[in-house]
Amino acid sequence: MQMTSNRGTTLPAAGGEKRSLRQRWAARLLLLIPVALGIGGCGNTGDIRPQSTIDPHTDFAEIIHHLYVSVFWWTAIILAVVWIALAYVLVRFREKPDSPKPRQVHGHLGLEIGWTVAPALIVVAIAIPTIQGVFATQRSAGENPFVVEVTGNQFWWSFHYPEEGITTASELYLPVGRPISLNLDSNDVIHSFWVPLLGGKRDVNPRVAQPEGVEHRSNNLYFTIREPGTYLGQCAEFCGEGHALMRMRVVALLEDDFAEWAEAWRTSTPAVGPGALEAAAEPEAGEETGMMEGNPAALALDDGAAAPQGAGARGQVEHDDELLAMGADVFFNVSYCALCHAIENTPAGGAIGPNLTLYGTRGTLGAGIRPNTQENLVEWLRSPQSLKRGARMPGVSEPGIGITGTVYPPTGLTDEQLEALAAYLLSLR
Ligand code: CUA
């Protein structure tokens, strides 16, 4: 913006005509600096790290990065040598009046050997670290790795921690500084796990029926994350209509913070249970069942505004209370969300869709496609297809189609039920 508006005024008429071309270009380049900084800054919000293949944050990514840098310098040297030789020949042997024909070198033995052997040596110099890198990045997990079973689904990621007994989706929490072993499998088609800052992409192959006596082998990715932060990733193998919207985040936490998160996951208890609506019908019983033990700020979402509390906001709290009870009723009793989704410490144990434990703490919905707000969630619940073509989940008036062709009937929820369901899901934190 600034660049276009200033273009005419930075070169004042008085004395302006005396400015050399070089000065004009220097002025233009200077103007580009704030623009470049602005653009560069865009991707860097908070500790969310944008996708980049030249900014390694694990040992795995470092190996690939070193290889990339060394190949870059080899090619840069080759480019320089070729250009210098070319410039020399063009100048030295340019045609001048009366100049004699230069000495012809066609078939010169020394030159022929030189330009055959030199590139061969360069190829060897590049091949050795490349092969070392391939073996280093394909190595199997060392002693006592932290194992996560990653499962690709059309079009979202599931993460299961066998040691911790945790299952989550779309946001992969990992401890910093511990060797991580990701076992990669798919429930349907081939996907590819890719979080550029953490390392190269790796195919996620379908679990298929194995011939007798052949053991199933998952693909594996093995790395150690260096710094805490949120790393963006996505599916990198075309897998259907929703491929481009099959995103994920890796949330890398210090060991203590990770243990805290795991504990929060295991002990999380939704503020309202499946039978909250009936309980709310008897107001006194509702007070006693501890329905507001959960964090009322859960409804405040990401805007940081605290939900109203205290005596003055009593009416609001009761309203929220009713909304959550209604949402829980929709989830467990009306729309049978629990057949596909699980929420820890509730009767919901479905394993077809994403596990929704601590759902309200997720930054995004629909596997990374929108900020996880009440408004967006209502939109998603109303029509998953309009946000992500090919999504398996049913909407209000559209059926969901499972991988085996199973049809999940439309939910037929009213606007009020959608609002309540979204509020309930966001209260899971
Ligand atoms: Cu999964 Cu592309």
Side-chain angles (χ1 to χ4, degrees):
M1 290 301 241
Q2 198 188 3
M3 198 177 65
T4 34
S5 60
N6 281 356
R7 191 169 272 170
T9 54
T10 43
L11 304 170
E17 53 274 68
K18 282 187 184 161
R19 280 195 171 196
S20 70
L21 195 63
R22 193 190 294 169
Q23 280 173 318
R24 286 183 194 208
W25 274 106
R28 284 177 194 179
L29 284 175
L30 277 177
L31 278 173
L32 277 175
I33 291 173
V35 175
L37 287 176
I39 293 168
C42 282
N44 234 335
T45 45
D47 70 339
I48 294 182
R49 299 164 194 270
Q51 299 187 120
S52 166
T53 51
I54 53 169
D55 183 18
H57 281 75
T58 63
D59 47 349
F60 184 112
E62 190 78 49
I63 291 167
I64 295 171
H65 186 66
H66 274 319
L67 209 52
Y68 171 77
V69 170
S70 72
V71 170
F72 171 82
W73 284 115
W74 274 112
T75 47
I77 291 166
I78 293 168
L79 183 77
V81 168
V82 168
W83 277 26
I84 289 166
L86 184 66
Y88 173 77
V89 170
L90 285 174
V91 173
R92 172 78 175 71
F93 299 109
R94 71 188 186 279
E95 190 170 338
K96 284 165 280 191
D98 318 321
S99 60
K101 194 177 182 186
R103 192 163 59 87
Q104 300 299 294
V105 294
H106 182 76
H108 187 284
L109 187 67
L111 281 177
E112 293 284 351
I113 290 173
W115 60 49
T116 304
V117 170
L121 289 177
I122 293 170
V123 168
V124 169
I126 291 174
I128 290 172
T130 302
I131 292 167
Q132 283 173 339
V134 168
F135 279 94
T137 54
Q138 295 287 334
R139 72 198 191 285
S140 57
E143 297 255 310
N144 190 27
F146 184 86
V147 176
V148 182
E149 290 164 5
V150 175
T151 306
N153 299 273
Q154 285 170 316
F155 298 96
W156 56 281
W157 296 93
S158 172
F159 307 111
H160 178 63
Y161 305 64
E163 285 164 44
E164 316 269 342
I166 290 174
T167 305
T168 182
S170 299
E171 289 180 7
L172 171 57
Y173 282 75
L174 292 174
V176 164
R178 265 194 82 175
I180 311 281
S181 176
L182 301 182
N183 298 342
L184 309 165
D185 282 297
S186 164
N187 266 341
D188 36 53
V189 299
I190 302 175
H191 303 275
S192 179
F193 182 93
W194 192 32
V195 183
L197 294 178
L198 305 184
K201 55 186 84 138
R202 188 144 293 170
D203 273 9
V204 178
N205 299 316
R207 287 191 196 91
V208 286
Q210 296 288 325
E212 194 92 20
V214 177
E215 209 184 316
H216 170 73
R217 281 177 56 192
S218 307
N219 248 351
N220 184 264
L221 202 52
Y222 182 50
F223 55 71
T224 306
I225 303 176
R226 293 196 183 130
E227 295 159 63
T230 299
Y231 302 89
L232 302 183
Q234 65 179 77
C235 179
E237 177 75 37
F238 181 68
C239 54
E241 284 173 303
H243 158 72
L245 302 176
M246 184 171 166
R247 298 177 195 155
M248 72 187 120
R249 292 166 172 222
V250 171
V251 182
L253 300 174
L254 296 173
E255 194 103 25
D256 287 351
D257 295 337
F258 178 81
E260 208 172 288
W261 171 80
E263 189 57 19
W265 191 96
R266 280 187 296 258
T267 57
S268 76
T269 312
V272 291
L277 198 62
E278 287 100 84
E282 305 149 44
E284 269 129 84
E287 299 270 335
E288 301 299 310
T289 50
M291 273 171 23
M292 283 317 293
E293 265 170 27
N295 180 7
L299 284 172
L301 310 179
D302 286 344
D303 57 9
Q309 292 185 55
R314 191 77 204 154
Q316 179 65 35
V317 169
E318 269 163 21
H319 170 75
D320 292 348
D321 218 9
E322 263 169 47
L323 197 69
L324 293 186
M326 184 183 181
D329 188 55
V330 170
F331 187 90
F332 289 98
N333 310 319
V334 176
S335 163
Y336 301 109
C337 309
L339 292 180
C340 290
H341 297 279
I343 299 171
E344 188 70 357
N345 300 323
T346 75
I352 293 170
N355 187 303
L356 298 176
T357 307
L358 295 182
Y359 180 83
T361 64
R362 285 188 198 157
T364 61
L365 59 77
I369 63 176
R370 291 262 183 107
N372 195 14
T373 64
Q374 170 83 11
E375 200 181 327
N376 286 339
L377 185 52
V378 166
E379 206 181 324
W380 170 260
L381 295 168
R382 177 175 284 124
S383 171
Q385 292 296 323
S386 63
L387 270 73
K388 186 192 284 195
R389 279 287 297 273
R392 302 293 189 199
M393 194 166 103
V396 167
S397 58
E398 67 205 20
I401 311 291
I403 50 167
T404 53
T406 323
V407 176
Y408 312 126
T411 61
L413 297 177
T414 64
D415 284 356
E416 196 190 11
Q417 285 174 318
L418 288 175
E419 291 287 346
L421 180 55
Y424 171 70
L425 291 173
L426 290 169
S427 78
L428 303 174
R429 51 198 306 154

